[in-house]
Amino acid sequence: MAHMRNKAESAGRATKVKTKHKELGLTREKLLDMYEKMLLPRMISERMWRMLRQGKLLFVVSSEGHEATGVGTAYALNMGSDYIVHYYRDLSVVLAAGMTVKDVMLQVFGKADDPSGGGRELPGLFCSSKLRLVSTSSPIAVQLPHAAGIALASKIKGEKIVTITYFGDGATSKGDFHEALNFAGIHKLPVIFVCENNKYAISVPQSKQMAIENVADRAPGYGFPGVVVDGNDVLEVYRAAKEAVERARNGLGPTLIEAKTYRYAPHTSNDDGVRYRTQEEIEEWKKKDPIEKFKQYLKEHGILSEALEKEIRAKLEQQIDEAVDFADKAPLPKPEDALTHVYAEPRR
Amino acid sequence: MAHMRNKAESAGRATKVKTKHKELGLTREKLLDMYEKMLLPRMISERMWRMLRQGKLLFVVSSEGHEATGVGTAYALNMGSDYIVHYYRDLSVVLAAGMTVKDVMLQVFGKADDPSGGGRELPGLFCSSKLRLVSTSSPIAVQLPHAAGIALASKIKGEKIVTITYFGDGATSKGDFHEALNFAGIHKLPVIFVCENNKYAISVPQSKQMAIENVADRAPGYGFPGVVVDGNDVLEVYRAAKEAVERARNGLGPTLIEAKTYRYAPHTSNDDGVRYRTQEEIEEWKKKDPIEKFKQYLKEHGILSEALEKEIRAKLEQQIDEAVDFADKAPLPKPEDALTHVYAEPRR
Amino acid sequence: MAVKTVIEALREGLWEEMKRDERVIVLGEDIGIQGGVFRLTDGFVQEFGEERVIDTPLAESLIVGAAIGAAMNGLKPVAEIQFADFIYPAVDQIINEAAKIRYRSTSNYSCPIVVRAPYGGGIHGGLYHSQSLEALFSHIAGLKVVAPSTPYDAKGLIKAAVRDVDPVIFLEHKKTYRLIKGEVPEGDYVVPLGKADVKRQGKNITVVAYGLMLHYSLEAAEAVSRDGIDVEVVDLRTLRPLDKETLLSSVKKTGKVIIVHEDSKFGGFGAELSATIAEEAFDYLDGPIVRVTAPDVPAMPYSPPLEDYCMPSPEKIAGAIRQLAAY
Amino acid sequence: MAVKTVIEALREGLWEEMKRDERVIVLGEDIGIQGGVFRLTDGFVQEFGEERVIDTPLAESLIVGAAIGAAMNGLKPVAEIQFADFIYPAVDQIINEAAKIRYRSTSNYSCPIVVRAPYGGGIHGGLYHSQSLEALFSHIAGLKVVAPSTPYDAKGLIKAAVRDVDPVIFLEHKKTYRLIKGEVPEGDYVVPLGKADVKRQGKNITVVAYGLMLHYSLEAAEAVSRDGIDVEVVDLRTLRPLDKETLLSSVKKTGKVIIVHEDSKFGGFGAELSATIAEEAFDYLDGPIVRVTAPDVPAMPYSPPLEDYCMPSPEKIAGAIRQLAAY
Ligand SMILES: Cc1ncc(C[n+]2csc(CCOP(=O)(O)OP(=O)(O)O)c2C)c(N)n1
Ligand SMILES: Cc1ncc(C[n+]2csc(CCOP(=O)(O)OP(=O)(O)O)c2C)c(N)n1
Ligand SMILES: [Mg+2]
Ligand SMILES: [Mg+2]
């Protein structure tokens, strides 16, 4: 069946809410770390929108709303050895993977020292061979076959390494989605497909993208499990991701995780985001803010206090200030740098 | 659910076998017509292989084994108004649609008067605007989006016209399969997708093409029914196709029909067909020959006698002789004809 | 006459065609309630309804493939690819199918679709929102390829494209959308496909361009005219079928030619222009055939200094003109 | 030295590379038990196993996309596209991804894949088993494009391609597979990418070709030598990066040039060769730059008279040589 976990079961879990993180093996430190890694991309995104209005940035794509999905999945990985194949909505994943705020700012400012690619890609697309954060691009769904291929190579090499890849609901309409999942199913590849279903591909609502309720329902057609999860509940996301990572690492093959979530901001700074969604719908979803939800949980369990929250925010604010300042002052690329890295430089 | 009809049900039907054609509303004349239209492509295919060995043809792609699938589906259509989008394995469909044996022979000989395209396409790809037999090509699965688009146009024009398209198991791995079925599901288009699952894409067995048993199981992921049917039983194929055509014509949307069948000959004359299948497997399937099966049924019901069978064969043999003779003597295209029909000829 | 932008002119032309002929439908990503990411189809769904203005799933091969099917069944589909950079998944449908349907069926079927695609750089779009793809499509017999540069031409050409009975790839330079303004007549007129237009008469050097580069070339021509170099600027408008007559007669007159495009150089569309000239007007040439293009890099980077380096500019064109004039 | 066919040479080169380096894998349709539809990988799955010789589903975008992923994770994938005509669904992965990975990541990642594709006509393959696609790929910075013509070069070039650290499109003319024979050394040697080869010395006219057309050009050169025309024949071998030096120095020597390819003319690869020459060797030219190619039709039809009409032949090349010689 498509859903490893249906609504009744999740409701059942809700009663066990007090022990959830222990059941998941998450310590206080880890939980606070996760919280910080959700807050950070939110605060960076807000800063980016501000800088856009100030004319300091030319373009913004942000991830407000997707933080639980990103952090919940990323924290289920072995960082630095597992492969991460993200898309532009994944600032939280990228930071969880170990990109620093400075690295992020150098990228969005398009500066020469941008470690992701020297200012070549649009803001929002990161990469690092060191962090095993794979180079990715703007075209939708092209990264899914890459993730399958990376996982194939791990399998051939006999390494117990898992690959995770992220994409939106829009991506599920593309041929590459189908071809990649089909191949992964045939070869039982160690790969996890995470669909961040925020109900829209820019303006196109899910009902015009597919005739079904859940993307996860397609997984049985590829011979592996599909899971629907509340993408705004970081612990539920983590639980689903952990199971999927274990399956993959143990040679049991892929999982499709569909995280139901919502993007709060417009698609990008080129979108006003007002024509296709009602204010009510946005407000409805704001009530389910993943950060608020997690904060509530942490407070209920005495892990986070108002004071600590303030402290964390101040620390992150400062990190961002410093990074912005640094990146702002960093040099732009030299024009003729455009000519490098077309092919491998000849060995000297 | 994926299967409108499971094995138990089919078994149940087997007991009602005596009344099957009446239940389906098929008269004696119609049944004999169907039988003839199954026999004809078989006899043409056999003739083509012979002509290949004689050096009279350069290339053969044939449909032995697929006759029940082709005829059972095609006979559920309104010929001349419904659109047919075939692939190269569909000689039986093409003849059922009204192509004459002469037209077929002119095509496979690549003659100037080939009505499908003046000898431009490889043998096995036919078309006729008059018969609403749509122009199709060698690349796999590209015709599925066309079928969706044709059905979309019928819907927009408010015409109660159905489109049917055919493809192999191999085609289901391609992005175009996914994109077309998804779109058809969203718009509830009047289109029928017929997968002629003969277990191989050239040499690649189903197990290396997909991690599932039935292609039809993918239909729920597109929001419409999928049906598995014995592709060697022309009446069962007809039943499934009729239901699908009715659904489509009544605005209820697409159906995916998976007809399980087998190709007896090699993939084409460029394949020896021996490396990837055992002789036993081929023999096993020959016992289920769709023509033999239908002949048995017709005999049991007193519709076909040995004498009539002989008469039909003789008639078809003569048709084929005449067509071969005609096509053989017909002129080849003039070399510079290669330059025509690139764009519409300017109006004079 | 009213002064309009390129995008207004295109919108007006397409709108009028949808009014004129109910077989015309538009389909693509975000073209409905959103009115397209550039707002070219703003208001269309309200006027023509969801049956004729179709928000598709995110699937370029399907967009073109379904358009092909609808065209074979009597409609006139205008497919929008949101950015030309994203057209690659549809090239199989465009090249193997649309371009070959008439040919392979000796006109049993034809494929009268229009595929619109905003292309080109200089708008901080980075590697995947700046590409120029005319070389790819103009190589393909069976396709027509159009690239307007002015509002007047844009409206007249989109109408001609919609009325054409064969597949047309309609490339709209997105930087010209709001930058370039010009007079556009009310109501119906057509600019025929396959006809170039001499946008500036001159006798020393021919500059051949299209899209945004036409405007940069006119600027460059103006600049060098102060040095006494009299430049003729040919706006191709349609890249395939190429108006060889206009091209060659200008070259034969001036004897020197500069080809300008924004795409990278090696194997770009300019190569064909150069080759046509070298083959058919060789005896008239007084100097090498020069190309001003982007450098041979995979695509235009995002960061402004890198982007600027890649974009041909009026200054770079003027430089090339001066150099060739001195040859 | 043993005399081998082109396909035997390719098979031997690929086999030796798989022996040499266990990171090399091959993937594609029917390449396992079937040994490929042309039998190029015959015996590979038996020797190297199903993990390194992967029969994929029928999905070209996946074949290349998975190869890209495997390459980013340290393997050296050699992807087979069964016929070049079917590569279009993979061009997004090839052009937007493979060609741009190094560039967009400033070498954080690279994409060392080889995509092999049998191309070309003259084998009664019709519209979809005869196409030539070198124009499409050679336009793309970030890709290397190789098209061998002789067995010796085929083996040496496939080895160089496998060892290259960037993506290589390896175009094999399927008519040469069994038609063309030549000496091939046992064991390891490499023909470097990016180097053309003068296959026949001459002083009157340069003919530039690759693949099957190289052989037709040599035949034509032989034929016209009886009329006292001394033809130099340049075999490009690699189309991108182009060996301009060899090309231009031959043209500068002879002053006349004919470019031969099987693909249609308008916007074909020959256009770039012509443009390069018109731009960089203009002063050395004694006549127009002539192209001998297929006519501008969507693809090569099946019926023999139509196919013959489309294929350039030694006779057509010889005719063009004689005409240009008389210029
Ligand atoms: C192949 C392709 N087509 C179109 C686009 C333009 N585009 C960018 S994002 C987007 C919508 C993506 O929606 P979804 O996958 O749901 O991701 P989300 O932005 O909602 O997270 C579109 C159409 C693109 N980037 N790539
Ligand atoms: C896009 C594409 N890739 C590869 C091929 C080569 N090819 C021709 S038929 C075929 C197998 C098709 O198998 P299937 O769809 O099962 O149809 P069948 O021949 O079994 O009826 C392949 C790989 C092709 N025609 N098109
Ligand atoms: Mg979305
Ligand atoms: Mg099959």
Side-chain angles (χ1 to χ4, degrees):
Chain A
M1 267 317 297
H3 306 214
M4 282 170 56
R5 180 175 312 130
N6 59 31
K7 278 183 190 156
E9 282 176 274
S10 320
R13 280 221 181 73
T15 64
K16 293 187 275 174
V17 75
K18 294 207 175 85
T19 56
K20 201 191 258 185
H21 66 274
K22 287 189 184 145
E23 178 197 321
L24 292 169
L26 292 167
T27 62
R28 186 179 179 282
E29 288 65 42
K30 189 98 176 181
L31 290 169
L32 283 173
D33 184 26
M34 287 169 83
Y35 182 66
E36 208 179 296
K37 281 295 191 315
M38 286 170 67
L39 209 49
L40 181 58
R42 176 69 62 93
M43 290 169 66
I44 292 177
S45 290
E46 286 164 359
R47 178 71 64 98
M48 290 196 300
W49 288 110
R50 209 152 74 221
M51 293 195 293
L52 182 92
R53 286 188 297 270
Q54 295 164 345
K56 282 194 154 190
L57 288 182
L58 296 167
F59 177 82
V60 171
V61 57
S62 72
S63 62
E64 293 106 311
H66 285 237
E67 295 90 350
T69 297
V71 170
T73 48
Y75 269 72
L77 302 171
N78 288 346
M79 283 302 169
S81 74
D82 289 340
Y83 277 98
I84 300 175
V85 189
H86 74 298
Y87 82 121
Y88 53 77
R89 193 74 65 210
D90 287 325
L91 183 56
S92 61
V93 174
V94 165
L95 290 162
M99 274 263 159
T100 68
V101 188
K102 273 186 192 167
D103 291 346
V104 167
M105 287 300 162
L106 287 167
Q107 202 277 338
V108 301
F109 275 93
K111 292 303 176 79
D113 294 333
D114 156 30
S116 295
R120 291 170 181 207
E121 288 241 50
L122 268 193
L125 295 167
F126 303 90
C127 92
S128 163
S129 47
K130 209 178 63 219
L131 302 175
R132 298 216 159 167
L133 186 64
V134 174
S135 171
T136 181
S137 64
S138 303
I140 298 294
V142 293
Q143 76 276 24
L144 276 71
H146 302 174
I150 294 168
L152 176 73
S154 294
K155 193 181 168 204
I156 291 173
K157 292 192 278 184
E159 293 168 350
K160 284 212 153 207
I161 284 170
V162 161
T163 299
I164 195 164
T165 186
Y166 299 88
F167 50 94
D169 44 296
T172 66
S173 303
K174 274 203 77 90
D176 273 347
F177 166 86
H178 174 68
E179 297 187 3
L181 271 71
N182 187 41
F183 187 70
I186 295 166
H187 291 279
K188 284 192 177 300
L189 298 179
V191 58
I192 296 141
F193 298 101
V194 181
C195 177
E196 307 183 26
N197 184 350
N198 60 13
K199 304 173 55 136
Y200 293 89
I202 308 185
S203 73
V204 181
Q206 183 173 337
S207 62
K208 287 184 175 165
Q209 297 182 52
M210 61 191 89
I212 55 172
E213 190 72 21
N214 300 312
V215 169
D217 290 350
R218 290 201 176 139
Y222 304 115
F224 55 81
V227 192
V228 179
V229 70
D230 176 354
N232 284 13
D233 183 335
V234 69
L235 295 178
E236 284 306 318
V237 174
Y238 178 77
R239 185 200 306 276
K242 242 188 128 199
E243 280 175 23
V245 167
E246 242 153 64
R247 271 180 57 80
R249 214 174 308 278
N250 292 325
L252 299 175
T255 304
L256 170 59
I257 297 176
E258 177 182 12
K260 305 271 194 190
T261 186
Y262 202 76
R263 110 175 110 70
Y264 296 135
H267 171 62
T268 67
S269 50
N270 293 331
D271 175 29
D272 56 20
V274 298
R275 298 182 170 218
Y276 52 86
R277 311 190 298 188
T278 62
Q279 203 49 47
E280 294 81 66
E281 184 181 282
I282 299 175
E283 292 310 323
E284 205 49 55
W285 275 93
K286 285 216 167 145
K287 290 184 200 146
K288 307 182 209 161
D289 188 314
I291 295 178
E292 279 309 311
K293 187 169 188 149
F294 194 30
K295 190 202 283 183
Q296 230 39 59
Y297 181 93
L298 295 176
K299 284 193 175 161
E300 275 171 31
H301 292 77
I303 295 166
L304 187 68
S305 63
E306 275 305 321
L308 185 52
E309 156 90 8
K310 258 198 180 143
E311 200 179 293
I312 294 171
R313 278 189 183 269
K315 185 182 78 182
L316 299 181
E317 198 73 42
Q318 197 191 331
Q319 266 179 39
I320 297 169
D321 286 344
E322 280 171 20
V324 165
D325 195 52
F326 176 84
D328 196 21
K329 290 185 181 134
L332 283 163
K334 288 194 291 293
E336 61 280 11
D337 283 353
L339 300 177
T340 62
H341 297 288
V342 178
Y343 300 98
E345 320 281 297
R347 287 199 211 107
R348 274 160 256 197
Chain B
M1 266 317 299
H3 306 213
M4 282 169 55
R5 176 175 316 129
N6 60 31
K7 278 187 188 151
E9 283 176 275
S10 319
R13 278 219 182 74
T15 64
K16 294 188 276 173
V17 74
K18 295 208 175 85
T19 57
K20 201 191 260 184
H21 65 273
K22 289 191 182 144
E23 176 198 323
L24 293 168
L26 292 167
T27 61
R28 186 179 178 280
E29 288 64 42
K30 189 98 175 181
L31 290 169
L32 283 174
D33 185 25
M34 288 170 82
Y35 182 67
E36 209 178 296
K37 280 296 192 309
M38 286 172 66
L39 208 49
L40 181 58
R42 177 70 61 93
M43 289 169 68
I44 291 177
S45 290
E46 286 165 358
R47 179 71 64 98
M48 290 195 300
W49 289 109
R50 210 153 72 220
M51 292 195 293
L52 181 91
R53 284 189 298 271
Q54 294 164 344
K56 282 195 155 191
L57 288 181
L58 296 166
F59 176 83
V60 170
V61 58
S62 70
S63 60
E64 293 105 311
H66 286 239
E67 294 89 351
T69 298
V71 170
T73 48
Y75 269 73
L77 302 171
N78 288 346
M79 282 304 168
S81 73
D82 289 340
Y83 277 98
I84 300 175
V85 190
H86 73 298
Y87 81 123
Y88 54 77
R89 193 74 64 209
D90 287 326
L91 184 55
S92 62
V93 175
V94 165
L95 290 162
M99 275 262 159
T100 68
V101 187
K102 272 184 193 168
D103 291 346
V104 167
M105 286 301 161
L106 287 166
Q107 201 278 339
V108 300
F109 275 93
K111 292 302 176 79
D113 294 333
D114 156 29
S116 295
R120 290 168 183 211
E121 288 240 52
L122 268 192
L125 295 166
F126 302 90
C127 93
S128 163
S129 47
K130 208 180 63 217
L131 302 175
R132 298 215 158 168
L133 185 64
V134 174
S135 172
T136 181
S137 64
S138 303
I140 298 294
V142 293
Q143 76 276 24
L144 276 70
H146 303 174
I150 293 168
L152 175 74
S154 293
K155 192 182 168 203
I156 291 173
K157 293 192 279 183
E159 295 168 347
K160 285 214 153 208
I161 285 170
V162 161
T163 300
I164 195 164
T165 186
Y166 298 88
F167 50 93
D169 44 297
T172 67
S173 302
K174 275 204 77 89
D176 272 347
F177 165 87
H178 175 69
E179 297 187 3
L181 270 70
N182 187 41
F183 186 71
I186 295 166
H187 292 278
K188 286 194 177 299
L189 298 179
V191 58
I192 296 139
F193 298 101
V194 181
C195 177
E196 307 185 24
N197 183 349
N198 61 12
K199 305 171 56 131
Y200 293 88
I202 308 187
S203 73
V204 181
Q206 183 173 338
S207 62
K208 287 185 174 164
Q209 297 182 50
M210 62 191 89
I212 55 172
E213 188 74 20
N214 299 312
V215 168
D217 289 350
R218 290 202 175 138
Y222 304 114
F224 55 80
V227 192
V228 179
V229 69
D230 176 354
N232 284 12
D233 183 334
V234 68
L235 295 179
E236 283 308 318
V237 174
Y238 178 77
R239 184 199 307 276
K242 244 190 127 195
E243 281 175 22
V245 167
E246 242 153 64
R247 272 181 56 81
R249 207 165 321 269
N250 292 325
L252 300 175
T255 305
L256 170 59
I257 297 176
E258 177 182 11
K260 306 271 194 189
T261 186
Y262 201 77
R263 109 174 110 71
Y264 294 135
H267 172 62
T268 67
S269 50
N270 294 330
D271 175 28
D272 57 20
V274 298
R275 297 183 171 217
Y276 51 86
R277 312 191 296 189
T278 61
Q279 202 49 46
E280 294 81 67
E281 186 181 280
I282 299 176
E283 292 310 322
E284 204 51 53
W285 275 93
K286 286 217 166 145
K287 290 184 201 145
K288 307 182 209 161
D289 188 314
I291 295 179
E292 279 308 311
K293 189 171 187 146
F294 194 32
K295 189 201 288 186
Q296 228 41 57
Y297 181 93
L298 295 177
K299 284 194 173 162
E300 275 171 30
H301 291 77
I303 295 165
L304 186 69
S305 63
E306 275 304 321
L308 183 52
E309 155 91 9
K310 257 198 180 143
E311 201 180 294
I312 295 171
R313 279 190 183 266
K315 183 182 77 182
L316 299 182
E317 198 73 42
Q318 197 191 334
Q319 267 180 38
I320 297 170
D321 285 345
E322 280 170 21
V324 165
D325 195 52
F326 176 84
D328 196 21
K329 290 184 183 136
L332 283 164
K334 288 194 291 293
E336 60 282 10
D337 283 353
L339 300 178
T340 62
H341 297 287
V342 177
Y343 300 98
E345 320 281 298
R347 286 199 211 106
R348 273 161 255 197
Chain C
M1 257 189 293
V3 168
K4 300 206 163 111
T5 61
V6 168
I7 196 164
E8 285 163 353
L10 287 168
R11 181 181 182 283
E12 193 171 295
L14 195 52
W15 178 281
E16 288 176 16
E17 289 305 295
M18 288 195 74
K19 280 278 178 201
R20 184 186 60 78
D21 183 352
E22 65 169 16
R23 292 169 312 163
V24 181
I25 62 168
V26 292
L27 69 169
E29 296 155 9
D30 303 293
I31 67 165
I33 185 73
Q34 181 83 334
V37 297
F38 293 101
R39 303 277 189 259
L40 195 142
T41 52
D42 199 10
F44 277 47
V45 73
Q46 292 83 349
E47 177 70 17
F48 302 107
E50 290 208 334
E51 286 228 311
R52 292 179 65 201
V53 181
I54 302 165
D55 260 338
T56 63
L58 206 166
E60 282 75 10
S61 184
L62 178 278
I63 293 171
V64 175
I68 290 170
M72 288 198 285
N73 191 359
L75 297 190
K76 178 74 218 190
V78 179
E80 173 172 307
I81 300 296
Q82 198 163 87
F83 287 84
D85 315 57
F86 306 137
I87 207 170
Y88 292 111
V91 300
D92 190 38
Q93 287 290 347
I94 295 172
I95 295 180
N96 264 342
E97 301 301 310
K100 294 178 176 56
I101 284 174
R102 178 185 293 285
Y103 191 71
R104 74 191 184 203
S105 72
T106 46
S107 300
N108 261 291
Y109 287 87
S110 63
C111 186
I113 63 171
V114 177
V115 181
R116 294 182 37 246
Y119 79 102
I123 45 96
H124 311 308
L127 305 169
Y128 297 100
H129 297 79
S130 306
Q131 295 177 33
S132 294
L133 275 91
E134 66 275 17
L136 170 56
F137 296 115
S138 56
H139 175 46
I140 306 300
L143 298 180
K144 299 182 178 181
V145 181
V146 180
S149 60
T150 67
Y152 178 92
D153 289 347
K155 179 173 170 184
L157 286 166
I158 190 73
K159 283 172 164 266
V162 171
R163 296 178 198 183
D164 204 272
V165 296
D166 284 308
V168 178
I169 309 297
F170 200 89
L171 301 170
E172 305 167 359
H173 197 295
K174 64 181 95 76
K175 187 162 181 171
T176 67
Y177 269 163
R178 295 185 163 77
L179 181 69
I180 305 298
K181 298 182 179 71
E183 299 204 324
V184 177
E186 297 296 317
D188 198 39
Y189 68 95
V190 154
V191 173
L193 305 190
K195 295 270 173 257
D197 185 37
V198 177
K199 286 273 168 21
R200 186 187 203 278
Q201 305 272 349
K203 53 184 194 307
N204 299 141
I205 283 187
T206 298
V207 175
V208 189
Y210 47 91
L212 179 67
M213 290 302 123
L214 184 270
H215 302 284
Y216 287 7
S217 298
L218 288 171
E219 271 188 57
E222 213 44 47
V224 301
S225 74
R226 283 166 248 142
D227 311 335
I229 308 174
D230 188 17
V231 175
E232 175 144 315
V233 180
V234 177
D235 181 1
L236 290 178
R237 301 199 295 197
T238 299
L239 311 187
R240 182 175 195 130
L242 179 66
D243 181 356
K244 275 197 202 180
E245 208 177 298
T246 304
L247 173 69
L248 294 176
S249 72
S250 176
V251 172
K252 287 175 183 176
K253 180 172 75 173
T254 63
K256 287 181 174 175
V257 60
I258 290 177
I259 297 156
V260 185
H261 61 62
E262 214 181 287
D263 192 12
S264 60
K265 183 173 188 173
F266 194 87
F269 183 66
E272 179 55 43
L273 297 174
S274 176
T276 297
I277 296 164
E279 205 160 3
E280 302 187 30
F282 178 74
D283 287 336
Y284 299 84
L285 287 175
D286 299 323
I289 305 171
V290 173
R291 290 177 285 171
V292 177
T293 70
D296 284 319
V297 299
M300 206 176 289
Y302 169 72
S303 189
L306 304 176
E307 182 180 37
D308 289 347
Y309 184 81
C310 289
M311 283 291 286
S313 63
E315 295 70 37
K316 289 177 200 168
I317 301 167
I321 295 172
R322 288 197 184 91
Q323 206 178 327
L324 184 59
Y327 184 90
Chain D
M1 258 190 293
V3 169
K4 299 204 163 113
T5 61
V6 167
I7 197 164
E8 284 163 353
L10 287 167
R11 182 180 182 282
E12 191 170 296
L14 194 53
W15 178 281
E16 287 176 17
E17 288 305 295
M18 289 196 74
K19 281 279 179 200
R20 184 186 60 78
D21 182 351
E22 67 169 15
R23 293 170 312 163
V24 181
I25 62 167
V26 292
L27 70 169
E29 296 155 8
D30 303 293
I31 67 167
I33 184 74
Q34 181 83 335
V37 297
F38 293 102
R39 303 276 189 262
L40 195 142
T41 53
D42 199 11
F44 278 48
V45 73
Q46 291 83 349
E47 178 70 16
F48 302 108
E50 290 208 333
E51 287 227 311
R52 293 179 66 201
V53 180
I54 303 166
D55 260 338
T56 63
L58 206 166
E60 282 75 11
S61 184
L62 178 278
I63 292 171
V64 174
I68 290 170
M72 289 198 284
N73 190 1
L75 297 190
K76 178 75 219 190
V78 179
E80 173 172 308
I81 300 296
Q82 197 163 87
F83 286 84
D85 316 57
F86 305 136
I87 207 169
Y88 292 111
V91 300
D92 190 39
Q93 287 290 348
I94 295 172
I95 294 180
N96 265 343
E97 300 301 310
K100 295 179 176 55
I101 284 174
R102 177 185 295 285
Y103 191 71
R104 75 190 184 203
S105 72
T106 48
S107 300
N108 260 293
Y109 287 87
S110 62
C111 186
I113 63 170
V114 177
V115 180
R116 295 182 37 244
Y119 79 102
I123 45 96
H124 312 308
L127 305 169
Y128 297 100
H129 297 80
S130 305
Q131 294 176 34
S132 294
L133 276 91
E134 66 274 17
L136 169 55
F137 296 114
S138 57
H139 175 46
I140 306 300
L143 298 180
K144 299 182 178 181
V145 181
V146 180
S149 59
T150 66
Y152 178 92
D153 288 348
K155 180 173 172 184
L157 285 165
I158 189 73
K159 283 173 165 264
V162 171
R163 296 178 197 183
D164 204 89
V165 297
D166 284 308
V168 178
I169 308 297
F170 200 91
L171 301 170
E172 305 166 358
H173 197 294
K174 65 180 97 74
K175 186 161 181 171
T176 67
Y177 270 165
R178 294 186 162 79
L179 181 70
I180 305 298
K181 298 183 180 71
E183 297 204 327
V184 177
E186 296 297 316
D188 198 39
Y189 69 96
V190 155
V191 172
L193 305 190
K195 294 270 172 261
D197 186 36
V198 178
K199 285 273 169 19
R200 185 184 202 279
Q201 305 273 350
K203 53 185 193 310
N204 301 139
I205 284 186
T206 298
V207 175
V208 189
Y210 46 91
L212 178 66
M213 290 301 123
L214 184 271
H215 302 284
Y216 287 8
S217 299
L218 287 171
E219 270 186 59
E222 212 45 47
V224 300
S225 75
R226 280 167 249 141
D227 311 335
I229 308 174
D230 188 18
V231 175
E232 176 144 314
V233 180
V234 177
D235 181 2
L236 291 178
R237 301 198 296 199
T238 299
L239 311 187
R240 183 175 193 129
L242 179 66
D243 182 355
K244 275 198 203 180
E245 207 177 299
T246 303
L247 173 69
L248 295 175
S249 73
S250 177
V251 172
K252 287 176 183 176
K253 182 172 76 174
T254 63
K256 287 181 176 174
V257 60
I258 290 176
I259 296 157
V260 185
H261 61 61
E262 213 182 289
D263 192 11
S264 60
K265 184 173 189 173
F266 194 86
F269 183 67
E272 178 55 44
L273 297 173
S274 176
T276 297
I277 296 164
E279 205 160 4
E280 303 188 32
F282 178 75
D283 287 336
Y284 298 85
L285 287 175
D286 299 323
I289 305 172
V290 173
R291 290 178 283 171
V292 177
T293 70
D296 283 320
V297 298
M300 205 176 289
Y302 169 71
S303 189
L306 305 177
E307 182 180 37
D308 289 348
Y309 184 80
C310 289
M311 283 290 285
S313 62
E315 295 69 37
K316 290 177 198 167
I317 301 167
I321 295 173
R322 287 198 185 92
Q323 205 178 330
L324 185 60
Y327 185 88

